[in-house]
Amino acid sequence: MNIEVFLTEAEIAQEFADSIEAHDLPEKFFYWLPRSVRAWIELSQNSVTAGLRQFWEVLSQKAESWAEHLSAPVSLISFGSGDGVKDRLLMKGLERAGQNVKYFPVDASQTLLELACSAAEDAELVTMGIKADIASPVHLVLASDAAESPKLLLMAGNTLGGFDPLDQVRHLAECMHAEDRLLIDGEVFNEALMDRVQEPAVRRFALAPLVSLGIADADGELRFEHKHDDRHAGLHMITRHFRAGRDLVIPLPGEPTITRGERIMLNFRYFYTPESFRWLLTKHAGLKILDEARNSDGKYIAALCSRG
Ligand SMILES: C[S@@+](CC[C@H](N)C(=O)[O-])C[C@H]1O[C@@H](n2cnc3c(N)ncnc32)[C@H](O)[C@@H]1O
């Protein structure tokens, strides 16, 4: 297995300890430790996320028509690839259209990256994994430079929503050359999203990094909040935090504590209106939407973009 490393395990471990101390855990730690990987795989195969999986099956059929926007052979660079299940659906669609694909999954999670690489190798695809921090503009450029243009950059599974989408989408656009394309999806906000917070699989995923440190559900309270991002109409966020119900000593070097009543911020997710999703890509990041897709119930949106 061929994996290029820009982000080492030692760096992730140090950042994890710093984040616990700062009481603010960014997105990448929710896919890192074994318990988190298990919780994510369970969630990604759960009925809560079935609509998104079906959407990618439909998109893979569209890949045949999108192939005309791409020069061959295509290097597919998937930012936040996870285990690569959706990427493989897309690659099958591109292959049906006669495209020769080279695959470059990019992720901070060693375990998920290995799953993406080994499944692609089993499918006899030319594959190179890249272990990098996609929140870093430098790592984004290094990862996208691993392949020659024309490239298809991919960000699937509302991965954009785990970051500040205004910053992240601009950094993605900066990686693109004239012939390159970006395929990106987003989840459309609806009030029912807040009902998901009661789902055991969602709660297990949200709490997994803390449970890995010996903190139990009963040690405090997991809360979800719906917020608006006032920088542009139609940008919604669901944030999560854990409020300690007793003093907690964390088994990390220096034994940091979370005292009773203190909060630790967990990862958040952005959701969009179709208009705000288009605004992010076009007016904000300067991209041009070549084609757009929505699933039948309107809950997901995806766009194929070029540089504006
Ligand atoms: C919402 S999941 C989507 C995974 C996959 N694209 C899918 O649709 O199933 C987000 C992915 O981004 C990765 N990720 C999160 N933060 C990251 C970071 N800062 N750098 C690199 N990868 C990151 C996670 O490990 C995870 O695999």
mmCIF file of all heavy atoms in Angstrom, residues 19-62:
data_model
loop_
_atom_site.group_PDB
_atom_site.id
_atom_site.type_symbol
_atom_site.label_atom_id
_atom_site.label_comp_id
_atom_site.label_asym_id
_atom_site.label_seq_id
_atom_site.Cartn_x
_atom_site.Cartn_y
_atom_site.Cartn_z
ATOM 1 N N SER A 19 -5.960 20.066 21.975
ATOM 2 C CA SER A 19 -7.385 20.380 21.786
ATOM 3 C C SER A 19 -8.183 20.041 23.038
ATOM 4 O O SER A 19 -9.110 20.761 23.400
ATOM 5 C CB SER A 19 -7.959 19.594 20.604
ATOM 6 O OG SER A 19 -7.237 19.871 19.449
ATOM 7 N N ILE A 20 -7.820 18.927 23.689
ATOM 8 C CA ILE A 20 -8.518 18.569 24.937
ATOM 9 C C ILE A 20 -8.265 19.666 25.971
ATOM 10 O O ILE A 20 -9.174 20.125 26.659
ATOM 11 C CB ILE A 20 -8.027 17.192 25.464
ATOM 12 C CG1 ILE A 20 -8.525 16.070 24.545
ATOM 13 C CG2 ILE A 20 -8.444 16.968 26.915
ATOM 14 C CD1 ILE A 20 -10.005 15.727 24.672
ATOM 15 N N GLU A 21 -7.015 20.107 26.027
ATOM 16 C CA GLU A 21 -6.681 21.161 26.991
ATOM 17 C C GLU A 21 -7.463 22.446 26.688
ATOM 18 O O GLU A 21 -7.915 23.142 27.589
ATOM 19 C CB GLU A 21 -5.174 21.445 26.936
ATOM 20 C CG GLU A 21 -4.703 22.247 28.101
ATOM 21 C CD GLU A 21 -3.366 21.708 28.641
ATOM 22 O OE1 GLU A 21 -2.657 20.973 27.938
ATOM 23 O OE2 GLU A 21 -3.057 22.057 29.771
ATOM 24 N N ALA A 22 -7.638 22.745 25.395
ATOM 25 C CA ALA A 22 -8.375 23.958 24.981
ATOM 26 C C ALA A 22 -9.893 23.744 25.020
ATOM 27 O O ALA A 22 -10.659 24.656 24.711
ATOM 28 C CB ALA A 22 -7.941 24.362 23.574
ATOM 29 N N HIS A 23 -10.322 22.539 25.343
ATOM 30 C CA HIS A 23 -11.756 22.195 25.417
ATOM 31 C C HIS A 23 -12.466 22.402 24.077
ATOM 32 O O HIS A 23 -13.600 22.874 24.037
ATOM 33 C CB HIS A 23 -12.467 23.015 26.511
ATOM 34 C CG HIS A 23 -11.995 22.691 27.891
ATOM 35 N ND1 HIS A 23 -12.608 23.146 29.030
ATOM 36 C CD2 HIS A 23 -10.959 21.938 28.315
ATOM 37 C CE1 HIS A 23 -11.973 22.695 30.095
ATOM 38 N NE2 HIS A 23 -10.967 21.960 29.669
ATOM 39 N N ASP A 24 -11.790 22.084 23.004
ATOM 40 C CA ASP A 24 -12.374 22.300 21.671
ATOM 41 C C ASP A 24 -11.792 21.256 20.712
ATOM 42 O O ASP A 24 -10.627 21.341 20.330
ATOM 43 C CB ASP A 24 -12.025 23.730 21.203
ATOM 44 C CG ASP A 24 -12.778 24.116 19.959
ATOM 45 O OD1 ASP A 24 -13.539 23.280 19.429
ATOM 46 O OD2 ASP A 24 -12.616 25.272 19.513
ATOM 47 N N LEU A 25 -12.611 20.267 20.342
ATOM 48 C CA LEU A 25 -12.111 19.147 19.528
ATOM 49 C C LEU A 25 -12.513 19.316 18.063
ATOM 50 O O LEU A 25 -13.706 19.211 17.746
ATOM 51 C CB LEU A 25 -12.735 17.838 20.022
ATOM 52 C CG LEU A 25 -12.070 17.110 21.174
ATOM 53 C CD1 LEU A 25 -12.776 15.786 21.412
ATOM 54 C CD2 LEU A 25 -10.596 16.860 20.895
ATOM 55 N N PRO A 26 -11.590 19.562 17.163
ATOM 56 C CA PRO A 26 -11.968 19.701 15.754
ATOM 57 C C PRO A 26 -12.358 18.375 15.100
ATOM 58 O O PRO A 26 -12.112 17.283 15.642
ATOM 59 C CB PRO A 26 -10.735 20.294 15.084
ATOM 60 C CG PRO A 26 -9.673 20.386 16.095
ATOM 61 C CD PRO A 26 -10.168 19.801 17.380
ATOM 62 N N GLU A 27 -12.936 18.511 13.931
ATOM 63 C CA GLU A 27 -13.528 17.404 13.163
ATOM 64 C C GLU A 27 -12.615 16.168 13.025
ATOM 65 O O GLU A 27 -13.066 15.045 13.167
ATOM 66 C CB GLU A 27 -13.896 17.985 11.782
ATOM 67 C CG GLU A 27 -14.309 17.005 10.719
ATOM 68 C CD GLU A 27 -15.743 16.522 10.808
ATOM 69 O OE1 GLU A 27 -16.388 16.728 11.846
ATOM 70 O OE2 GLU A 27 -16.203 15.898 9.853
ATOM 71 N N LYS A 28 -11.328 16.370 12.779
ATOM 72 C CA LYS A 28 -10.499 15.202 12.425
ATOM 73 C C LYS A 28 -10.408 14.155 13.545
ATOM 74 O O LYS A 28 -10.207 12.992 13.279
ATOM 75 C CB LYS A 28 -9.110 15.593 11.940
ATOM 76 C CG LYS A 28 -8.190 16.271 12.904
ATOM 77 C CD LYS A 28 -6.792 16.218 12.306
ATOM 78 C CE LYS A 28 -5.843 17.321 12.592
ATOM 79 N NZ LYS A 28 -6.238 18.671 12.759
ATOM 80 N N PHE A 29 -10.617 14.593 14.808
ATOM 81 C CA PHE A 29 -10.495 13.636 15.918
ATOM 82 C C PHE A 29 -11.705 12.711 16.046
ATOM 83 O O PHE A 29 -11.698 11.802 16.866
ATOM 84 C CB PHE A 29 -10.229 14.382 17.222
ATOM 85 C CG PHE A 29 -8.947 15.161 17.144
ATOM 86 C CD1 PHE A 29 -8.946 16.534 17.229
ATOM 87 C CD2 PHE A 29 -7.747 14.498 16.931
ATOM 88 C CE1 PHE A 29 -7.760 17.244 17.112
ATOM 89 C CE2 PHE A 29 -6.560 15.201 16.811
ATOM 90 C CZ PHE A 29 -6.569 16.575 16.897
ATOM 91 N N PHE A 30 -12.734 12.962 15.243
ATOM 92 C CA PHE A 30 -13.936 12.122 15.315
ATOM 93 C C PHE A 30 -13.832 10.911 14.377
ATOM 94 O O PHE A 30 -14.786 10.162 14.218
ATOM 95 C CB PHE A 30 -15.182 12.980 15.040
ATOM 96 C CG PHE A 30 -15.431 13.939 16.173
ATOM 97 C CD1 PHE A 30 -14.681 15.107 16.281
ATOM 98 C CD2 PHE A 30 -16.325 13.625 17.175
ATOM 99 C CE1 PHE A 30 -14.845 15.959 17.359
ATOM 100 C CE2 PHE A 30 -16.494 14.466 18.260
ATOM 101 C CZ PHE A 30 -15.754 15.641 18.352
ATOM 102 N N TYR A 31 -12.645 10.739 13.778
ATOM 103 C CA TYR A 31 -12.424 9.627 12.839
ATOM 104 C C TYR A 31 -11.066 8.971 13.119
ATOM 105 O O TYR A 31 -10.570 8.223 12.304
ATOM 106 C CB TYR A 31 -12.435 10.142 11.382
ATOM 107 C CG TYR A 31 -13.645 10.973 11.049
ATOM 108 C CD1 TYR A 31 -13.691 12.326 11.357
ATOM 109 C CD2 TYR A 31 -14.751 10.384 10.445
ATOM 110 C CE1 TYR A 31 -14.815 13.084 11.066
ATOM 111 C CE2 TYR A 31 -15.873 11.134 10.148
ATOM 112 C CZ TYR A 31 -15.891 12.485 10.467
ATOM 113 O OH TYR A 31 -17.003 13.230 10.176
ATOM 114 N N TRP A 32 -10.473 9.293 14.261
ATOM 115 C CA TRP A 32 -9.067 8.943 14.472
ATOM 116 C C TRP A 32 -8.878 7.685 15.305
ATOM 117 O O TRP A 32 -8.335 6.688 14.837
ATOM 118 C CB TRP A 32 -8.344 10.150 15.093
ATOM 119 C CG TRP A 32 -6.902 9.947 15.374
ATOM 120 C CD1 TRP A 32 -5.961 9.456 14.511
ATOM 121 C CD2 TRP A 32 -6.228 10.215 16.600
ATOM 122 N NE1 TRP A 32 -4.741 9.418 15.133
ATOM 123 C CE2 TRP A 32 -4.870 9.874 16.407
ATOM 124 C CE3 TRP A 32 -6.620 10.730 17.841
ATOM 125 C CZ2 TRP A 32 -3.918 10.011 17.410
ATOM 126 C CZ3 TRP A 32 -5.674 10.879 18.838
ATOM 127 C CH2 TRP A 32 -4.339 10.520 18.617
ATOM 128 N N LEU A 33 -9.318 7.729 16.576
ATOM 129 C CA LEU A 33 -9.098 6.582 17.467
ATOM 130 C C LEU A 33 -10.020 5.428 17.065
ATOM 131 O O LEU A 33 -11.062 5.650 16.439
ATOM 132 C CB LEU A 33 -9.341 7.016 18.915
ATOM 133 C CG LEU A 33 -8.304 8.029 19.434
ATOM 134 C CD1 LEU A 33 -8.781 8.700 20.715
ATOM 135 C CD2 LEU A 33 -6.952 7.349 19.648
ATOM 136 N N PRO A 34 -9.628 4.170 17.405
ATOM 137 C CA PRO A 34 -10.414 3.011 16.945
ATOM 138 C C PRO A 34 -11.907 3.098 17.263
ATOM 139 O O PRO A 34 -12.751 2.767 16.438
ATOM 140 C CB PRO A 34 -9.761 1.834 17.680
ATOM 141 C CG PRO A 34 -8.357 2.283 17.923
ATOM 142 C CD PRO A 34 -8.405 3.760 18.133
ATOM 143 N N ARG A 35 -12.249 3.607 18.445
ATOM 144 C CA ARG A 35 -13.676 3.694 18.798
ATOM 145 C C ARG A 35 -14.404 4.671 17.873
ATOM 146 O O ARG A 35 -15.545 4.444 17.473
ATOM 147 C CB ARG A 35 -13.817 4.162 20.262
ATOM 148 C CG ARG A 35 -15.240 4.160 20.759
ATOM 149 C CD ARG A 35 -15.292 4.656 22.186
ATOM 150 N NE ARG A 35 -14.759 3.703 23.126
ATOM 151 C CZ ARG A 35 -15.475 2.728 23.697
ATOM 152 N NH1 ARG A 35 -16.747 2.591 23.430
ATOM 153 N NH2 ARG A 35 -14.911 1.907 24.557
ATOM 154 N N SER A 36 -13.710 5.760 17.506
ATOM 155 C CA SER A 36 -14.324 6.741 16.592
ATOM 156 C C SER A 36 -14.500 6.145 15.199
ATOM 157 O O SER A 36 -15.517 6.364 14.544
ATOM 158 C CB SER A 36 -13.453 8.004 16.492
ATOM 159 O OG SER A 36 -13.597 8.773 17.657
ATOM 160 N N VAL A 37 -13.483 5.400 14.751
ATOM 161 C CA VAL A 37 -13.584 4.791 13.415
ATOM 162 C C VAL A 37 -14.793 3.847 13.386
ATOM 163 O O VAL A 37 -15.607 3.881 12.459
ATOM 164 C CB VAL A 37 -12.282 4.043 13.040
ATOM 165 C CG1 VAL A 37 -12.462 3.258 11.755
ATOM 166 C CG2 VAL A 37 -11.125 5.027 12.906
ATOM 167 N N ARG A 38 -14.922 3.029 14.457
ATOM 168 C CA ARG A 38 -16.059 2.089 14.521
ATOM 169 C C ARG A 38 -17.380 2.848 14.520
ATOM 170 O O ARG A 38 -18.315 2.501 13.801
ATOM 171 C CB ARG A 38 -15.976 1.253 15.806
ATOM 172 C CG ARG A 38 -15.251 -0.065 15.640
ATOM 173 C CD ARG A 38 -15.618 -1.070 16.740
ATOM 174 N NE ARG A 38 -15.597 -0.561 18.095
ATOM 175 C CZ ARG A 38 -14.498 -0.402 18.833
ATOM 176 N NH1 ARG A 38 -13.319 -0.708 18.341
ATOM 177 N NH2 ARG A 38 -14.565 0.051 20.072
ATOM 178 N N ALA A 39 -17.447 3.915 15.343
ATOM 179 C CA ALA A 39 -18.698 4.683 15.444
ATOM 180 C C ALA A 39 -19.033 5.347 14.112
ATOM 181 O O ALA A 39 -20.198 5.403 13.697
ATOM 182 C CB ALA A 39 -18.573 5.731 16.549
ATOM 183 N N TRP A 40 -18.010 5.833 13.380
ATOM 184 C CA TRP A 40 -18.255 6.485 12.094
ATOM 185 C C TRP A 40 -18.738 5.470 11.047
ATOM 186 O O TRP A 40 -19.702 5.715 10.315
ATOM 187 C CB TRP A 40 -16.999 7.217 11.596
ATOM 188 C CG TRP A 40 -17.104 7.568 10.144
ATOM 189 C CD1 TRP A 40 -16.367 7.094 9.122
ATOM 190 C CD2 TRP A 40 -18.059 8.464 9.543
ATOM 191 N NE1 TRP A 40 -16.786 7.612 7.926
ATOM 192 C CE2 TRP A 40 -17.827 8.458 8.162
ATOM 193 C CE3 TRP A 40 -19.096 9.255 10.052
ATOM 194 C CZ2 TRP A 40 -18.576 9.210 7.261
ATOM 195 C CZ3 TRP A 40 -19.849 10.004 9.167
ATOM 196 C CH2 TRP A 40 -19.587 9.990 7.795
ATOM 197 N N ILE A 41 -18.084 4.308 11.033
ATOM 198 C CA ILE A 41 -18.490 3.301 10.036
ATOM 199 C C ILE A 41 -19.927 2.838 10.322
ATOM 200 O O ILE A 41 -20.744 2.713 9.413
ATOM 201 C CB ILE A 41 -17.476 2.133 9.982
ATOM 202 C CG1 ILE A 41 -16.188 2.660 9.330
ATOM 203 C CG2 ILE A 41 -18.024 0.933 9.206
ATOM 204 C CD1 ILE A 41 -15.047 1.688 9.246
ATOM 205 N N GLU A 42 -20.235 2.696 11.617
ATOM 206 C CA GLU A 42 -21.613 2.308 11.971
ATOM 207 C C GLU A 42 -22.595 3.388 11.484
ATOM 208 O O GLU A 42 -23.609 3.099 10.852
ATOM 209 C CB GLU A 42 -21.715 2.150 13.496
ATOM 210 C CG GLU A 42 -23.093 1.691 13.951
ATOM 211 C CD GLU A 42 -23.399 2.023 15.412
ATOM 212 O OE1 GLU A 42 -22.505 2.522 16.138
ATOM 213 O OE2 GLU A 42 -24.535 1.791 15.816
ATOM 214 N N LEU A 43 -22.239 4.656 11.741
ATOM 215 C CA LEU A 43 -23.133 5.759 11.344
ATOM 216 C C LEU A 43 -23.261 5.856 9.828
ATOM 217 O O LEU A 43 -24.349 6.078 9.294
ATOM 218 C CB LEU A 43 -22.592 7.070 11.926
ATOM 219 C CG LEU A 43 -23.418 8.324 11.694
ATOM 220 C CD1 LEU A 43 -24.819 8.189 12.283
ATOM 221 C CD2 LEU A 43 -22.713 9.539 12.307
ATOM 222 N N SER A 44 -22.136 5.652 9.141
ATOM 223 C CA SER A 44 -22.166 5.833 7.679
ATOM 224 C C SER A 44 -22.915 4.689 6.983
ATOM 225 O O SER A 44 -23.236 4.791 5.811
ATOM 226 C CB SER A 44 -20.752 5.990 7.113
ATOM 227 O OG SER A 44 -20.052 4.782 7.235
ATOM 228 N N GLN A 45 -23.196 3.599 7.758
ATOM 229 C CA GLN A 45 -23.972 2.493 7.163
ATOM 230 C C GLN A 45 -25.386 2.446 7.733
ATOM 231 O O GLN A 45 -26.167 1.558 7.421
ATOM 232 C CB GLN A 45 -23.261 1.155 7.448
ATOM 233 C CG GLN A 45 -21.915 1.073 6.748
ATOM 234 C CD GLN A 45 -21.079 -0.123 7.170
ATOM 235 O OE1 GLN A 45 -21.449 -0.882 8.048
ATOM 236 N NE2 GLN A 45 -19.936 -0.288 6.530
ATOM 237 N N ASN A 46 -25.705 3.445 8.591
ATOM 238 C CA ASN A 46 -26.972 3.473 9.326
ATOM 239 C C ASN A 46 -28.081 4.106 8.478
ATOM 240 O O ASN A 46 -27.807 4.813 7.515
ATOM 241 C CB ASN A 46 -26.690 4.335 10.578
ATOM 242 C CG ASN A 46 -27.838 4.412 11.513
ATOM 243 O OD1 ASN A 46 -28.800 5.112 11.249
ATOM 244 N ND2 ASN A 46 -27.741 3.706 12.610
ATOM 245 N N SER A 47 -29.350 3.877 8.897
ATOM 246 C CA SER A 47 -30.487 4.443 8.143
ATOM 247 C C SER A 47 -30.445 5.975 8.141
ATOM 248 O O SER A 47 -30.945 6.616 7.216
ATOM 249 C CB SER A 47 -31.805 3.946 8.735
ATOM 250 O OG SER A 47 -31.847 4.297 10.093
ATOM 251 N N VAL A 48 -29.822 6.599 9.150
ATOM 252 C CA VAL A 48 -29.740 8.072 9.223
ATOM 253 C C VAL A 48 -29.036 8.640 7.982
ATOM 254 O O VAL A 48 -29.333 9.743 7.538
ATOM 255 C CB VAL A 48 -28.934 8.491 10.484
ATOM 256 C CG1 VAL A 48 -28.756 9.983 10.577
ATOM 257 C CG2 VAL A 48 -29.580 7.961 11.733
ATOM 258 N N THR A 49 -28.074 7.872 7.447
ATOM 259 C CA THR A 49 -27.281 8.389 6.325
ATOM 260 C C THR A 49 -27.633 7.688 5.000
ATOM 261 O O THR A 49 -26.936 7.872 4.003
ATOM 262 C CB THR A 49 -25.769 8.205 6.617
ATOM 263 O OG1 THR A 49 -25.545 6.848 7.015
ATOM 264 C CG2 THR A 49 -25.285 9.130 7.718
ATOM 265 N N ALA A 50 -28.750 6.917 5.013
ATOM 266 C CA ALA A 50 -29.117 6.147 3.805
ATOM 267 C C ALA A 50 -29.370 7.079 2.607
ATOM 268 O O ALA A 50 -28.988 6.773 1.477
ATOM 269 C CB ALA A 50 -30.338 5.284 4.081
ATOM 270 N N GLY A 51 -30.020 8.234 2.876
ATOM 271 C CA GLY A 51 -30.353 9.166 1.782
ATOM 272 C C GLY A 51 -29.103 9.637 1.059
ATOM 273 O O GLY A 51 -29.072 9.737 -0.179
ATOM 274 N N LEU A 52 -28.051 9.902 1.823
ATOM 275 C CA LEU A 52 -26.803 10.380 1.230
ATOM 276 C C LEU A 52 -26.156 9.285 0.379
ATOM 277 O O LEU A 52 -25.650 9.544 -0.719
ATOM 278 C CB LEU A 52 -25.857 10.845 2.339
ATOM 279 C CG LEU A 52 -24.556 11.512 1.923
ATOM 280 C CD1 LEU A 52 -24.810 12.721 1.033
ATOM 281 C CD2 LEU A 52 -23.765 11.959 3.147
ATOM 282 N N ARG A 53 -26.203 8.049 0.881
ATOM 283 C CA ARG A 53 -25.630 6.941 0.092
ATOM 284 C C ARG A 53 -26.391 6.773 -1.222
ATOM 285 O O ARG A 53 -25.796 6.610 -2.293
ATOM 286 C CB ARG A 53 -25.689 5.625 0.892
ATOM 287 C CG ARG A 53 -24.711 5.577 2.048
ATOM 288 C CD ARG A 53 -24.537 4.154 2.553
ATOM 289 N NE ARG A 53 -25.765 3.551 3.030
ATOM 290 C CZ ARG A 53 -26.297 3.774 4.240
ATOM 291 N NH1 ARG A 53 -25.688 4.578 5.088
ATOM 292 N NH2 ARG A 53 -27.413 3.185 4.605
ATOM 293 N N GLN A 54 -27.742 6.855 -1.124
ATOM 294 C CA GLN A 54 -28.549 6.718 -2.357
ATOM 295 C C GLN A 54 -28.232 7.852 -3.330
ATOM 296 O O GLN A 54 -28.175 7.651 -4.545
ATOM 297 C CB GLN A 54 -30.040 6.721 -2.032
ATOM 298 C CG GLN A 54 -30.515 5.381 -1.482
ATOM 299 C CD GLN A 54 -31.735 5.518 -0.581
ATOM 300 O OE1 GLN A 54 -32.371 6.578 -0.545
ATOM 301 N NE2 GLN A 54 -32.048 4.461 0.150
ATOM 302 N N PHE A 55 -28.041 9.053 -2.783
ATOM 303 C CA PHE A 55 -27.717 10.206 -3.636
ATOM 304 C C PHE A 55 -26.449 9.926 -4.437
ATOM 305 O O PHE A 55 -26.366 10.191 -5.631
ATOM 306 C CB PHE A 55 -27.543 11.437 -2.750
ATOM 307 C CG PHE A 55 -27.296 12.725 -3.491
ATOM 308 C CD1 PHE A 55 -28.043 13.067 -4.608
ATOM 309 C CD2 PHE A 55 -26.318 13.616 -3.053
ATOM 310 C CE1 PHE A 55 -27.826 14.270 -5.280
ATOM 311 C CE2 PHE A 55 -26.094 14.811 -3.715
ATOM 312 C CZ PHE A 55 -26.844 15.133 -4.829
ATOM 313 N N TRP A 56 -25.438 9.321 -3.784
ATOM 314 C CA TRP A 56 -24.179 9.057 -4.484
ATOM 315 C C TRP A 56 -24.315 7.939 -5.518
ATOM 316 O O TRP A 56 -23.594 7.923 -6.512
ATOM 317 C CB TRP A 56 -23.029 8.827 -3.490
ATOM 318 C CG TRP A 56 -22.486 10.172 -3.136
ATOM 319 C CD1 TRP A 56 -22.916 10.982 -2.129
ATOM 320 C CD2 TRP A 56 -21.524 10.923 -3.876
ATOM 321 N NE1 TRP A 56 -22.271 12.194 -2.191
ATOM 322 C CE2 TRP A 56 -21.399 12.180 -3.244
ATOM 323 C CE3 TRP A 56 -20.746 10.662 -5.000
ATOM 324 C CZ2 TRP A 56 -20.536 13.167 -3.712
ATOM 325 C CZ3 TRP A 56 -19.873 11.651 -5.451
ATOM 326 C CH2 TRP A 56 -19.783 12.876 -4.814
ATOM 327 N N GLU A 57 -25.286 7.032 -5.279
ATOM 328 C CA GLU A 57 -25.550 6.030 -6.328
ATOM 329 C C GLU A 57 -26.113 6.720 -7.566
ATOM 330 O O GLU A 57 -25.722 6.416 -8.693
ATOM 331 C CB GLU A 57 -26.517 4.956 -5.805
ATOM 332 C CG GLU A 57 -25.755 3.853 -5.078
ATOM 333 C CD GLU A 57 -26.604 3.065 -4.110
ATOM 334 O OE1 GLU A 57 -27.819 2.954 -4.332
ATOM 335 O OE2 GLU A 57 -26.030 2.564 -3.125
ATOM 336 N N VAL A 58 -27.004 7.699 -7.349
ATOM 337 C CA VAL A 58 -27.576 8.443 -8.487
ATOM 338 C C VAL A 58 -26.477 9.279 -9.156
ATOM 339 O O VAL A 58 -26.368 9.322 -10.389
ATOM 340 C CB VAL A 58 -28.750 9.339 -7.998
ATOM 341 C CG1 VAL A 58 -29.254 10.234 -9.113
ATOM 342 C CG2 VAL A 58 -29.864 8.474 -7.449
ATOM 343 N N LEU A 59 -25.642 9.917 -8.339
ATOM 344 C CA LEU A 59 -24.559 10.747 -8.908
ATOM 345 C C LEU A 59 -23.600 9.907 -9.751
ATOM 346 O O LEU A 59 -23.064 10.378 -10.749
ATOM 347 C CB LEU A 59 -23.771 11.446 -7.794
ATOM 348 C CG LEU A 59 -24.476 12.585 -7.060
ATOM 349 C CD1 LEU A 59 -23.561 13.172 -6.003
ATOM 350 C CD2 LEU A 59 -24.908 13.673 -8.016
ATOM 351 N N SER A 60 -23.383 8.659 -9.330
ATOM 352 C CA SER A 60 -22.433 7.828 -10.082
ATOM 353 C C SER A 60 -22.969 7.561 -11.491
ATOM 354 O O SER A 60 -22.201 7.398 -12.435
ATOM 355 C CB SER A 60 -22.152 6.517 -9.353
ATOM 356 O OG SER A 60 -23.243 5.657 -9.479
ATOM 357 N N GLN A 61 -24.317 7.549 -11.620
ATOM 358 C CA GLN A 61 -24.865 7.390 -12.982
ATOM 359 C C GLN A 61 -24.629 8.660 -13.795
ATOM 360 O O GLN A 61 -24.370 8.628 -14.985
ATOM 361 C CB GLN A 61 -26.356 7.061 -12.923
ATOM 362 C CG GLN A 61 -26.593 5.607 -12.491
ATOM 363 C CD GLN A 61 -27.899 5.404 -11.771
ATOM 364 O OE1 GLN A 61 -28.840 6.152 -11.987
ATOM 365 N NE2 GLN A 61 -27.942 4.403 -10.914
ATOM 366 N N LYS A 62 -24.703 9.800 -13.099
ATOM 367 C CA LYS A 62 -24.461 11.068 -13.782
ATOM 368 C C LYS A 62 -22.997 11.206 -14.210
ATOM 369 O O LYS A 62 -22.677 11.979 -15.108
ATOM 370 C CB LYS A 62 -24.802 12.225 -12.833
ATOM 371 C CG LYS A 62 -26.102 12.934 -13.211
ATOM 372 C CD LYS A 62 -26.322 14.102 -12.319
ATOM 373 C CE LYS A 62 -26.488 15.396 -12.987
ATOM 374 N NZ LYS A 62 -27.137 15.843 -14.010
#
